[in-house]
Amino acid sequence: MTKLVVDGKEIDVPAEYTLLQACEAAGAEIPRFCYHERLSIAGNCRMCLVEVKGGPKPVASCAWGVRDCRPGPNGEPPEISTRSPMVKKAREGVMEFLLINHPLDCPICDQGGECDLQDQAMGYGVDSSRFAENKRAVEDKYLGALVKTSMTRCIQCTRCVRFSAEICGAPEMGATGRGEDMEITTYLESALTSELQGNLVDICPVGALTSKPYAFAARPWELGKTQSVDVMDGVGSAIRVDTRGREVMRILPRVNEAINEEWISDKTRHVVDGLRTQRLDRPYIRANGKLQPASWQQAFAAIAAKVSRTDGKRIGAIAGDLAAVEEMFALKELLAKFGSVNLAVQGGDAFDPKAGRASYLFNPTIAGIDQADALLIVGSNPRKEAAVLNARIRKRWRTGQLKVGVIGIKADLTYDYDYIGAGADSFGDLAAGKHSFADVLKNAKKPIVLVGAGAFGRHDGAAILARAAKLALAIDAVKDGWDGFAVLHDTASRAGALDIGFAAGADGLNAAQMTTFGTLDVLFLLGADEVKVPDGTFVVYIGTHGDAGAHRADVILPGAAYTEKSGIFVNTEGRAQMANRAGFPPGEAREDWAIIRALSEVLGKKLPFDSLASLRQALFKTAPHLMRLDQIAAGDAAAIKALATRGGEVEKVPFKASVEDFYLTNPIARASAVMAECSRLASGRMLTAAE
């Protein structure tokens, strides 16, 4: 630790701190534009100037290390002043320079009210400028469907350039020209390709980069703000949902160091317009081959008429990707009253909940990636399945302390990796030491074996999981203080469904069996759209959008989207999180658990809870760990050892991607015009690359 005196206050800070960090540790406020704690240091805005006693001029605190400060003549600790007349005058001068060419268009700028330049001009600037020359103008650049540019406002802080290169791993932005002619642009002025590009809007300290879909839609002070969690993938990123009246206007990230740091994917951020288009707002019944609008009573009566003539064991339920734990629990209880254990969650057939949590969770945790020194990715493309988690892997890789190997599809993951093979037979090559990456895994202190949906989503997924668990044990990835067996779920519902046992029980049918002709008479689809139901099965669809599940349904019961209900979601690492209600469902749509509760009474199998609170009490008796929000109930390593002994036949066919199109993975995304445009741009890039 190094002693410093900041504004007369003596503090101890690590020698590797910058002066900016040291001053903030002492409680001083340091303005900045180019500095960002998650990006490399540029030192080019000069707004963070401070005075070092004995120095002839102020220094940029973001680029000046504590260890570079010289002690006083008698060994006194270095003295830093953040409020001296020299500092005040220097900051006023810097602000005057920054505003020479900045347009005075705050009233029409989308950054207004959330602009660092506005705030710091008020705090550190002066009320007039000595420059009367004409302001320069810069042509706006095309960056794609998500980021709108007004480059005349740009102050060349280069945050966007560093973010693209360092966090996204897609170095598509750069600076051209020098001095007053310097401009930030993309190469060949093409659309950005990163799945994290929406974060450019958050890190831009001025209004040069703003959200294109949100342009001129609302002002920040008009909006109600609700803290929630993302359900577009299995990561469970912390988000804030901003609403005006009943309408969701935008979604922004919240800081959560354990999960998403302060980034969210573009799908998370820009799926907003999908929440209000193609919505189911009233019940429907299929009559004479066509869906007809109906009342709730008529819809329930149609279901009751069919169920009354059906054997309970020929009733089943499949939960979709966006289902909360509460409605899955209610549906499971309803089917239990019919004596049915035909339960499944999309993509979950390979898992056995009775085996233990460790057999289906991302055990090293997302934050644990920061300690890993070897990573084997099996049947997964983290860039498409969990873009924020992929950025975490890249962050660790950039330190030079993580080596990555891949079994599966060759893809651009934004970091270098050793390609081992295309299919499950590569496990044998690693076990036999036929590939150089085998030595990397054996010599690693904290290795991770990551299994993705491209591997466990196949019909031989259980056997592949067993092979992966066996390899994890062989390389000593499961030991005291470290569990390196990681399952990466690409959906928000799967881990929660497995936690409450929403899977085929003894003598029950899994999803593949339920969707085989002649096995079921009645099938409940709880927002499940990625399943093909054979003719002859009576389908009850509880969901939000007119997607594939609704087109196949015989009765449609309109539910609530994730922003319209309070629900618990469990992310891929097993962390229970609460998504809070930000608005209300449209028309006659209701919360899913309430639909199931009302239906149970009509079916003569009344469920024993009349409120969400009483439902959760029953839920917590079944799965007590879900009560502890934002905590992870760790799995038992014995489950992985048991999983490794299961064996099974594995097909020698290459792994396929579980996510073909990052932007169109669920009903809300498929209803979004913004996501459709992003998908079109992405497919155009793929065609160009193939040509």
Side-chain angles (χ1 to χ4, degrees), residues 91-115:
R91 288 176 181 168
E92 287 175 354
V94 169
M95 183 58 70
E96 195 174 2
F97 272 122
L98 289 174
L99 295 176
I100 289 173
N101 286 308
H102 197 81
L104 300 177
D105 62 351
C106 297
I108 62 159
C109 176
D110 263 333
Q111 201 85 333
E114 298 173 314
C115 177

Side-chain angles (χ1 to χ4, degrees), residues 444-498:
K445 293 179 180 176
K446 291 187 174 181
I448 294 177
V449 177
L450 184 156
V451 188
F456 65 72
R458 306 190 333 178
H459 65 270
D460 59 346
I464 292 170
L465 281 168
R467 290 273 184 101
K470 190 174 180 180
L471 178 65
L473 293 171
I475 62 172
D476 203 23
V478 182
K479 52 194 172 186
D480 287 343
W482 182 255
D483 188 342
F485 180 73
V487 176
L488 178 57
H489 293 291
D490 55 351
T491 70
S493 62
R494 197 177 297 134
L498 295 170

Side-chain angles (χ1 to χ4, degrees), residues 344-493:
V345 62
Q346 284 183 169
D349 284 359
F351 302 101
D352 180 6
K354 299 185 191 70
R357 290 193 99 210
S359 67
Y360 59 81
L361 292 182
F362 198 94
N363 294 295
T365 73
I366 295 169
I369 293 170
D370 295 343
Q371 281 87 49
D373 50 2
L375 171 64
L376 176 65
I377 299 174
V378 180
S380 176
N381 180 345
R383 182 173 176 181
K384 286 188 175 182
E385 294 166 31
V388 173
L389 183 141
N390 193 63
R392 195 94 177 208
I393 296 173
R394 175 176 166 77
K395 173 187 168 186
R396 178 62 175 169
W397 171 81
R398 288 184 69 239
T399 66
Q401 297 175 291
L402 178 68
K403 292 184 178 177
V404 184
V406 169
I407 298 175
I409 292 176
K410 274 188 179 179
D412 178 10
L413 298 180
T414 73
Y415 40 82
D416 296 335
Y417 57 81
D418 290 332
Y419 186 69
I420 298 163
D425 49 347
S426 299
F427 285 124
D429 294 343
L430 284 174
K434 293 180 182 178
H435 196 282
S436 58
F437 198 74
D439 294 331
V440 173
L441 289 172
K442 285 176 183 173
N443 297 329
K445 293 179 180 176
K446 291 187 174 181
I448 294 177
V449 177
L450 184 156
V451 188
F456 65 72
R458 306 190 333 178
H459 65 270
D460 59 346
I464 292 170
L465 281 168
R467 290 273 184 101
K470 190 174 180 180
L471 178 65
L473 293 171
I475 62 172
D476 203 23
V478 182
K479 52 194 172 186
D480 287 343
W482 182 255
D483 188 342
F485 180 73
V487 176
L488 178 57
H489 293 291
D490 55 351
T491 70
S493 62

Side-chain angles (χ1 to χ4, degrees), residues 131 143 345 398 584 643:
F131 293 89
L143 300 185
V345 62
R398 288 184 69 239
F584 292 90
L643 180 63

Side-chain angles (χ1 to χ4, degrees), residues 223 242-250 272 276 582-584:
L223 305 175
D242 286 2
T243 52
R244 185 172 59 193
R246 295 173 67 105
E247 188 176 5
V248 175
M249 300 303 295
R250 64 176 179 179
V272 170
R276 49 182 178 260
F584 292 90

Side-chain angles (χ1 to χ4, degrees), residues 299-373:
F300 285 167
I303 298 168
K306 179 66 178 178
V307 170
S308 64
R309 304 192 303 269
T310 303
D311 177 7
K313 293 187 178 179
R314 291 183 63 83
I315 300 173
I318 300 176
D321 297 346
L322 309 180
V325 173
E326 288 90 344
E327 56 245 32
M328 289 190 286
F329 178 76
L331 188 53
K332 181 190 175 194
E333 293 296 296
L334 177 59
L335 261 66
K337 286 184 176 289
F338 285 99
S340 172
V341 286
N342 302 322
L343 300 167
V345 62
Q346 284 183 169
D349 284 359
F351 302 101
D352 180 6
K354 299 185 191 70
R357 290 193 99 210
S359 67
Y360 59 81
L361 292 182
F362 198 94
N363 294 295
T365 73
I366 295 169
I369 293 170
D370 295 343
Q371 281 87 49
D373 50 2

